[in-house]
């Protein structure tokens, strides 16, 4: 049976994606920018032509909801597809705000198209991955990545592209982990509620494009202070829009605030660094390679666990099953 295995790294958004202009096609209301991160990865094997559709996730059968999402994406790869067995594993906590869906759907579409003998471009892969999870559109690429919102109703212009490659800038992303458990509200549900009920949502959408163009320039000039200020502004505005939803979409825990205050005090000591937060309580801190040890030590005093990540490469085919 034709099979292929792919590996993809998760990405963390520096300028956030929150809200959809088309829910069915997963088209974003705003552009976003991310950094692809190693060594965390998802490894996925797709085997076509088996007796029944099956999804094995992290060593066990996946939930019906997960399976529905995965096989819906395989239907887009080939609408007359044979049944498939998908085996996928993350080497980091699933669904804890560490973007496991970003690496998951990127690895899935690369393995599925390769096993089907297709040779899509990176942009086509990004469009396919976007249908599984918006942020997965960015994990097809390595390094510094932008996902354009696009304007076309069919979404064919809403894909990611590489701003700068993995070796452009020697930075680190220090992840302060407070809670490895599943998130309280899925990003899909959180976005829907924010969009439908938050009076701040229109202001968030209006402010995001400028964040993206300024962050792109800061990345190209390797300006950590400028990029850091934009990162925190984007995360705060996204979370402000969520908090104003009804009922509120609140991912923060006390530890999240302690980590943010730690970052502010590191900056006061002259160490350039900046935080971001996604749909979970964990805080991710961007800094230059030379300051990562001190940043990690300081965050280690307030977090359950700290992990130092480096810029990661694009999604790629690998040998051997997941
Ligand atoms: O791709 P999704 O549906 O898991 O949404 C990701 C949302 C955030 O992580 C909060 C922001 C982002 O741009 O990744």
């Amino acid at each position: 049976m034709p099979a292929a295995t792919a590996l993809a790294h998760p990405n963390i958004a520096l300028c956030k994606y929150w809200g959809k202009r088309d829910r069915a096609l997963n088209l974003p209301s705003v552009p976003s920018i991310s950094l692809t991160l190693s060594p965390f990865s998802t490894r996925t094997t797709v085997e076509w032509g088996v007796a029944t559709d099956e999804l094995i996730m992290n060593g066990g059968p996946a939930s019906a909801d997960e399976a529905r999402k995965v096989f819906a994406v395989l239907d887009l790869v080939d609408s007359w597809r044979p049944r498939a067995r998908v085996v996928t594993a993350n080497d980091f906590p699933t669904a804890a705000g560490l973007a496991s869906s970003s690496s998951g759907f990127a690895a899935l579409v690369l393995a599925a198209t390769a096993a089907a003998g297709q040779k899509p471009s990176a942009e086509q892969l990004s469009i396919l991955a976007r249908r599984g999870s918006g942020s997965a559109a960015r994990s097809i690429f390595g390094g510094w990545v932008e996902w354009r919102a696009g304007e076309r109703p069919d979404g064919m212009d809403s894909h990611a592209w590489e701003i700068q490659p993995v070796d452009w800038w020697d930075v680190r992303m220090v992840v302060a982990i407070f809670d490895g458990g599943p998130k309280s509200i899925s990003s899909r549900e959180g976005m829907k509620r924010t969009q439908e009920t938050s009076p701040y949502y229109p202001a968030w959408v209006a402010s995001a494009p400028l964040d993206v163009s300024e962050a792109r320039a800061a990345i190209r000039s390797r300006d950590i202070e400028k990029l850091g200020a934009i990162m925190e502004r984007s995360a705060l505005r996204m979370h402000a829009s969520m908090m104003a939803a009804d009922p509120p979409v609140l991912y923060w825990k006390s530890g999240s605030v302690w980590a943010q205050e730690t970052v502010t005090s590191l900056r006061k000591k002259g160490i350039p660094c900046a935080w971001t937060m996604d749909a979970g309580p964990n805080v991710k801190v961007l800094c230059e390679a030379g300051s990562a040890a001190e940043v990690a030590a300081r965050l280690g005093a307030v977090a359950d666990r700290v992990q130092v990540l480096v810029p990661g490469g694009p999604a790629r085919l690998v040998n051997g099953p997941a």
Side-chain angles (χ1 to χ4, degrees):
M1 299 294 161
T5 300
L7 180 148
H9 298 294
N11 68 77
I12 297 294
L14 313 177
C15 292
K16 302 301 188 185
Y17 148 56
W18 195 255
K20 301 179 203 266
R21 71 179 164 91
D22 184 311
R23 226 166 260 154
L25 294 176
N26 240 0
L27 296 175
S29 304
V30 294
S32 55
I33 287 182
S34 61
L35 179 60
T36 300
L37 292 163
S38 180
F40 284 169
S41 67
T42 301
R43 192 181 263 260
T44 302
T45 300
V46 176
E47 185 181 4
W48 293 113
V50 296
T52 170
D53 279 348
E54 188 185 12
L55 172 62
I56 305 291
M57 205 175 224
N58 296 320
S63 70
D65 194 43
E66 291 291 353
R68 188 185 46 73
K69 284 190 244 168
V70 162
F71 291 108
V73 169
L74 295 193
D75 291 343
L76 300 172
V77 171
D78 176 357
S79 51
W80 293 97
R81 69 173 178 84
R83 300 223 164 89
R85 179 177 153 84
V86 178
V87 181
T88 183
N90 296 325
D91 57 11
F92 60 103
T94 302
L98 285 174
S100 57
S101 62
S102 64
S103 47
F105 282 101
L108 177 74
V109 299
L110 181 56
T113 51
Q118 302 175 7
K119 291 199 168 41
S121 65
E123 286 76 16
Q124 288 167 327
L125 283 168
S126 176
I127 287 169
L128 267 176
R130 187 200 77 219
R131 297 289 296 272
S133 168
S135 54
R138 300 184 305 237
S139 270
I140 294 295
F141 295 87
W144 307 84
V145 179
E146 179 171 336
W147 171 22
R148 45 171 80 92
E151 284 164 8
R152 286 174 53 159
D154 66 3
M156 295 311 280
D157 57 352
S158 183
H159 57 74
W161 59 283
E162 182 192 274
I163 300 173
Q164 294 294 347
V166 54
D167 56 0
W168 171 246
W169 190 2
D170 199 14
V171 297
R172 297 291 179 267
M173 188 72 85
V174 183
V175 184
I177 301 167
F178 296 99
D179 182 349
K183 44 179 125 164
S184 46
I185 310 169
S186 70
S187 49
R188 199 171 292 237
E189 172 55 28
M191 284 185 205
K192 183 167 177 282
R193 195 187 298 169
T194 308
Q195 215 160 336
E196 286 172 355
T197 67
S198 174
Y200 299 167
Y201 181 73
W204 153 250
V205 172
S207 70
L210 183 65
D211 290 347
V212 163
S213 58
E214 288 186 3
R216 192 193 308 122
I219 290 164
R220 286 184 169 148
S221 57
R222 297 195 190 91
D223 186 338
I224 185 91
E225 278 162 20
K226 185 84 206 286
L227 180 60
I230 301 161
M231 256 175 84
E232 293 192 359
R233 183 172 86 195
S234 172
L236 281 164
R237 287 177 178 173
M238 175 186 75
H239 282 280
S241 76
M242 298 178 191
M243 287 175 187
D246 186 15
V249 178
L250 194 55
Y251 294 110
W252 296 34
K253 297 210 167 161
S254 50
S256 316
V257 180
W258 296 338
Q260 292 164 12
E261 286 176 352
T262 304
V263 170
T264 308
S265 77
L266 279 160
R267 263 204 308 264
K268 283 200 184 120
K269 276 184 60 188
I271 296 173
C273 55
W275 62 267
T276 190
M277 264 181 78
D278 295 287
N282 300 327
V283 173
K284 296 104 181 183
V285 180
L286 184 76
C287 64
E288 284 167 322
S291 30
E294 178 154 10
V295 171
R298 290 286 305 277
L299 287 169
V302 295
D304 296 340
R305 206 151 47 88
V306 168
Q307 201 109 31
V308 180
L309 306 181
V310 301
R316 53 200 179 270
L317 293 168
V318 290
N319 291 323

